[in-house]
Amino acid sequence: MLKLNNNFIFAPVKTGYSDGTGIINDKHLKFYETRSEFIGAITPEPLYIDKRLREIPTQIGIDNDDKIKGLKKLTDKIHQFDTKVIAHLNHPGRMANPKIPGNYYYSSTDKVCEMGGATPKRMDKNDINDAVHLFAEAARRAEQAGFDIIELQFGHGYLAAQFISPQVNDRTDEYGGSFENRIRFPLEILGAVRSVTNLPVIVRISGDEMIPDGIKLEEMIEFSKILKEKSIDAIHVSAGTVCNTPPWFFQHMFVPKGKTWEFANKIQQDVNIPTIYVGQINSRDDIINLKEHYKAEYIAIGRALVADPHFVGKCLNTVKGNIRPCLACAEGCLGGVKAGQGLQCLVNPMVGQENDVLGKAEKSKNIAVVGGGLAGMEAALTLNLRGHKVTLFEKDKLGGQFNLAPLTPNKLSMERLIPFYVREIRDNNINVVHKEAVKSDLIDQYDEVVLATGSRPKKMNINGLHNFFWAEILLKENLPRNKKVLIIGGGLIGVDIATALIPLNNKVIIVKRTTDFGEDMEMIAKTLSLKMMKEKETVFSDHTHIKEVDGKTVFAEKDGIDIQFDDVDIIVVSTGMESYNPLENELKESIRVHIIGDAKKVGNAQHAIKNAYDTTTKI
């Protein structure tokens, strides 16, 4: 039995906060302590069991006894809340990072992952025994370090799953072919772990790898029955494989919410084993649904606890306040780790800075924030928390350009962010003035001014181009159907617009001066968006410069050769943004001015929120 104080578990999320030694540091301690108070168990990020098997250079290790002291600091920190700690042990096999010097690559096969990577060695019996030994030694260290529970990663396309999956395992020995043979290696791991510790054991699986000929639910039900006979304490059911279906592995906003819950529910019903539900669980409604409809015994929450450390406390009504919503966008959490900057979050600028306590300002001031986009709203809230009196000026709807973000396919989850900010501003009694602020509204009225006036589309001087759209084409009243649309500019905005127009039977042409369409997009969103566009026969024209528009004919130059696009009904211009900051020069001689977000430097939503927070913590 897991014997948790409630049924909520923090699922393993990579932080990338180590210094390369794999040893726990203060940043880890504060990150997990901040999220431990209202939850049944914390699972720190996946622990590497051999330094040469890392997924990221800055991963936490459990490969050597020198790690035990630091890990004990972590478990002690979490135990102060009577919260259990789970050691998530994983061997990546062929998915070890090929960019890390010294890594080695073993698998059930010698086939390279379809998405790239190093060529693995097909494991022989000695290699298999060595891998089993690594798991057993890691489990022994986990118990010595004060962990309460062991979780074995048998899913998500990692080594154990590389044996289980018929799509990957092409062996002809006792570890390949039949279902019984393919599960032999993971069962040997389980047996070895059981031989060195009496701690409860969770097994994590992919209910379905979401690929043809991969792991399927029917076999996972049978596997779960066998695991139950082996007396494991719970089964943790996810989906996907990091090699073939990363959107399912990361539970990205582009995949439907709830599919993993269906897999878990089927296993729970057919096997009658304690089952952990996971996957895009990021609202109170999700919790209610899982408890009432699915009768979920355990609920694992990952990125929602990154976005809001008190997510569980708020769902349990133990903590008051609005939930800062996870958007399942992977912008900061996955993007930050991949970029080597460590775990971040689009909606929560405090992630990674938990050691920096937000304190009251030395002197309370009367401050105007001009612009009610994401940066302006975050600035207003942070200033208010620090004890300043705040007035927020916004001539239109709060939210600015981010109001357009949820209007593209698969990004509906983004519609939750602006309502959160609006509720926070209301609940904190921040005065909102719905007008365009001018100099006379600000001078002699406030101590300081924060300018968050955002950005606007760059102007294009193209002969004959008079009627065109920008992203406002996404508004319901502007969306065309059955038209031929030319999009000038192939970055994030251009690609997002294309994905919104294609389902309405529009024929889309997208042109770009360079070659990398969607260059500034989060990688999963980019990959799936471009895949959809290509499947729907979107015309991509790179190295293309638009020269002139004459009615429905657009003249251009591609690689030095004149070309033209005929019968174009609508033109969309998305060639980038430029900072819009009309008030700085008018104000700077009369009042102290701070410039934030796109008004300072054009960036994405995460940049706007983070810059607003960092700037206003110093006022």
Side-chain angles (χ1 to χ4, degrees):
M1 295 292 291
L2 299 183
K3 296 181 180 178
L4 309 183
N5 59 29
N6 65 42
N7 66 341
F8 293 99
I9 297 170
F10 186 15
V13 175
K14 296 182 182 73
T15 66
Y17 290 158
S18 178
D19 59 3
T21 64
I23 294 174
I24 293 291
N25 58 37
D26 287 343
K27 200 167 185 178
H28 293 119
L29 295 177
K30 195 62 179 178
F31 175 82
Y32 288 112
E33 180 183 19
T34 303
R35 289 160 175 82
S36 297
E37 187 172 358
F38 306 105
I39 197 162
I42 291 279
T43 314
E45 70 176 41
L47 307 173
Y48 66 75
I49 59 177
D50 185 324
K51 188 176 182 180
R52 301 167 297 166
L53 290 172
R54 286 176 290 168
E55 293 184 76
I56 57 174
T58 49
Q59 195 171 348
I60 300 172
I62 195 169
D63 61 316
N64 192 287
D65 286 358
D66 66 358
K67 306 296 194 306
I68 293 174
K69 181 179 178 181
L71 291 167
K72 186 66 166 59
K73 286 183 180 179
L74 177 61
T75 58
D76 286 347
K77 187 71 73 172
I78 296 170
H79 284 153
Q80 69 179 301
F81 302 109
D82 193 29
T83 298
K84 298 292 180 65
V85 196
I86 302 171
H88 179 92
L89 308 180
N90 180 31
H91 188 312
R94 65 177 182 170
M95 300 313 299
N97 191 332
K99 296 180 181 179
I100 299 178
N103 265 2
Y104 65 89
Y105 315 93
Y106 285 178
S107 184
S108 62
T109 180
D110 56 10
K111 294 185 295 186
V112 177
C113 166
E114 290 82 349
M115 293 187 69
T119 301
K121 176 192 176 187
R122 185 189 299 269
M123 297 170 72
D124 59 28
K125 182 59 177 175
N126 288 333
D127 299 325
I128 288 172
N129 290 340
D130 288 345
V132 170
H133 179 70
L134 287 176
F135 275 98
E137 282 293 281
R140 174 186 62 80
R141 294 187 192 104
E143 184 167 17
Q144 290 180 351
F147 285 88
D148 306 287
I149 300 165
I150 303 293
E151 179 168 82
L152 301 175
Q153 174 61 284
F154 287 176
H156 282 163
Y158 292 118
L159 181 62
Q162 290 160 28
F163 276 81
I164 298 170
S165 176
Q167 196 267 349
V168 179
N169 188 339
D170 56 0
R171 303 173 74 94
T172 57
D173 62 3
E174 70 269 32
Y175 291 95
S178 69
F179 170 68
E180 290 75 16
N181 284 354
R182 285 184 280 112
I183 65 172
R184 188 184 307 276
F185 171 59
L187 291 180
E188 288 179 358
I189 294 171
L190 176 61
V193 168
R194 285 290 200 197
S195 72
V196 298
T197 177
N198 292 318
L199 293 179
V201 175
I202 297 167
V203 169
R204 193 172 201 193
I205 63 170
S206 291
D208 193 306
E209 288 188 317
M210 313 306 286
I211 53 173
D213 304 321
I215 290 172
K216 295 298 177 186
L217 182 60
E218 292 74 18
E219 282 195 341
M220 287 301 94
I221 291 172
E222 294 308 308
F223 186 41
S224 299
K225 290 177 179 177
I226 294 169
L227 293 172
K228 181 183 178 182
E229 292 172 1
K230 302 288 184 181
S231 301
I232 71 158
D233 295 87
I235 193 93
H236 188 169
V237 184
S238 186
T241 157
V242 68
C243 182
N244 303 84
T245 50
W248 285 98
F249 167 61
F250 290 109
Q251 283 297 295
H252 192 270
M253 62 183 172
F254 275 50
V255 303
K257 177 185 290 195
K259 193 67 177 176
T260 52
W261 310 349
E262 295 173 12
F263 297 150
N265 191 245
K266 184 66 174 171
I267 289 173
Q268 178 177 278
Q269 291 181 340
D270 286 16
V271 184
N272 190 27
I273 187 172
T275 305
I276 302 170
Y277 289 68
V278 74
Q280 290 192 60
I281 302 169
N282 50 31
S283 72
R284 282 191 176 92
D285 288 343
D286 293 337
I287 301 299
I288 294 169
N289 188 18
L290 285 164
K291 287 185 173 182
E292 295 184 356
H293 179 72
Y294 290 93
K295 310 301 180 187
E297 188 164 354
Y298 296 104
I299 299 172
I301 299 159
R303 289 170 294 167
L305 275 161
V306 177
D308 190 331
H310 294 150
F311 174 80
V312 171
K314 290 175 180 177
C315 288
L316 295 173
N317 296 316
T318 306
V319 179
K320 293 182 179 179
N322 301 304
I323 293 172
R324 191 178 283 258
C326 170
L327 309 181
C329 63
E331 292 276 358
C333 46
L334 175 59
V337 172
K338 280 186 170 291
Q341 298 168 345
L343 182 70
Q344 301 172 358
C345 181
L346 185 153
V347 306
N348 185 350
M350 294 154 285
V351 172
Q353 296 182 198
E354 284 82 5
N355 280 313
D356 301 331
V357 178
L358 185 64
K360 294 290 185 180
E362 291 183 8
K363 179 183 177 183
S364 178
K365 297 178 180 179
N366 189 12
I367 300 176
V369 177
V370 181
L374 296 183
M377 291 190 290
E378 179 65 41
L381 290 168
T382 305
L383 290 167
N384 180 74
L385 282 172
R386 299 193 62 231
H388 296 297
K389 180 182 178 183
V390 183
T391 299
L392 178 61
F393 287 87
E394 171 53 56
K395 64 176 180 177
D396 297 316
K397 286 174 59 178
L398 290 172
Q401 295 170 14
F402 202 77
N403 281 297
L404 299 172
L407 302 181
T408 57
N410 304 311
K411 290 190 174 183
L412 188 63
S413 65
M414 290 192 167
E415 71 178 0
R416 300 167 59 216
L417 184 55
I418 292 174
F420 160 76
Y421 273 116
V422 171
R423 287 191 298 269
E424 285 285 284
I425 287 168
R426 178 200 64 204
D427 293 351
N428 284 279
N429 298 312
I430 294 173
N431 183 33
V432 180
V433 178
H434 286 287
K435 66 164 293 188
E436 183 173 3
V438 296
K439 182 178 179 180
S440 60
D441 294 319
L442 306 170
I443 300 299
D444 298 326
Q445 306 295 319
Y446 298 94
D447 299 315
E448 298 186 25
V449 174
V450 176
L451 296 179
T453 44
S455 59
R456 60 185 179 183
K458 290 181 179 177
K459 294 181 179 179
M460 288 201 71
N461 295 316
I462 298 175
N463 188 31
L465 179 62
H466 305 300
N467 299 311
F468 59 91
F469 285 95
W470 176 64
E472 79 277 4
I473 197 171
L474 298 173
L475 296 172
K476 186 176 181 180
E477 61 268 24
N478 294 335
L479 274 174
R481 294 177 181 270
N482 306 308
K483 301 292 184 183
K484 189 173 186 179
V485 183
L486 173 69
I487 301 174
I488 304 173
L492 182 152
I493 295 175
V495 169
D496 270 357
I497 291 170
T499 62
L501 298 182
I502 289 168
L504 300 178
N505 202 36
N506 294 294
K507 177 66 176 177
V508 174
I509 304 164
I510 186 166
V511 304
K512 198 176 193 298
R513 284 179 177 262
T514 56
T515 58
D516 187 8
F517 289 88
E519 61 183 327
D520 43 2
M521 297 180 74
E522 182 274 320
M523 189 53 64
I524 293 177
K526 173 182 176 179
T527 301
L528 294 181
S529 295
L530 294 181
K531 180 175 182 289
M532 184 269 269
M533 292 167 66
K534 290 171 183 175
E535 289 173 350
K536 298 299 182 180
E537 300 181 347
T538 299
V539 176
F540 293 86
S541 186
D542 57 13
H543 292 130
T544 300
H545 169 58
I546 304 297
K547 297 167 63 177
E548 184 179 356
V549 177
D550 183 6
K552 287 194 167 190
T553 304
V554 179
F555 298 93
E557 184 180 286
K558 176 178 169 64
D559 293 323
I561 300 173
D562 289 335
I563 61 172
Q564 68 184 56
F565 303 102
D566 298 318
D567 302 318
V568 174
D569 299 305
I570 295 171
I571 294 176
V572 178
V573 176
S574 62
T575 51
M577 308 294 290
E578 59 186 9
S579 294
Y580 178 65
N581 182 17
L583 285 174
E584 181 185 10
N585 289 333
E586 292 186 45
L587 299 176
K588 64 183 181 181
E589 299 299 329
S590 305
I591 190 171
R592 188 174 184 189
V593 174
H594 308 269
I595 308 167
I596 62 171
D598 276 9
K600 181 178 182 180
K601 181 181 179 181
V602 174
N604 56 23
Q606 181 177 328
H607 166 267
I609 293 171
K610 176 69 171 166
N611 179 249
Y613 176 80
D614 288 345
T615 300
T616 51
T617 57
K618 300 176 178 66
I619 296 176

